[in-house]
Amino acid sequence: MKTPCPAILSIFQRWQAWLLQAMVLTALAACSLPAGHGGLSAAPAPYVQGIYQGSYTYGSAYHKLAGKTVPFEISLKQARGSSRIRGVVRESYTGFGTLQDGFVWADITGTCESDAGFTRLKFTKTYRQSKEPPVNYSGSLPPGSSLLSGTWYFPSKPSDSGMFQISNMHVP
């Protein structure tokens, strides 16, 4: 039996090596894409980076403030493909938090995930320069809507809670 031409064998071996590298890179890329729940997923995390207007409303546990709506501005940062979000909230002073430059400032960290077409945000708001405890927020944006709404509460005292909304949210 005759041995194949060395040039053809060399081309075939390079093609095989290239094909193997392409398959490995594809597999690695799929594993490195952050999914909503930390594992492999067909749906990437929704991208919500931007500056939005919102408001929260005090619940009945706040007697004098119950039903009062407080406007805020929220700036969200997010790396494409990541479910992690962080940002800053600027809100009016209502007796909670520490007034600085005419507003109360807070930092947020949390997640943004997709679930059955809904975009779900969960984050913790921590007031700057204040002894107020962190506040948890959990809300969802229905498919085709631009109004995310949900509830806020203190983890140590869930009865101290209320509603919130964020307007004009766009999810590409």
Side-chain angles (χ1 to χ4, degrees), residues 18-32:
W18 177 85
L19 186 59
L20 183 59
Q21 286 175 340
M23 290 184 339
V24 168
L25 288 174
T26 302
L28 287 175
C31 291
S32 67

Side-chain angles (χ1 to χ4, degrees), residues 60-97:
S60 60
Y62 287 90
H63 307 296
K64 288 167 70 174
L65 291 172
K68 178 176 174 65
T69 298
V70 179
F72 64 81
E73 182 177 88
I74 185 168
S75 173
L76 298 175
K77 299 271 186 193
Q78 178 184 19
R80 285 233 183 243
S82 173
S83 63
R84 305 287 301 155
I85 59 171
R86 60 184 172 83
V88 176
V89 173
R90 181 183 79 174
E91 62 187 58
S92 301
Y93 181 72
T94 62
F96 296 97

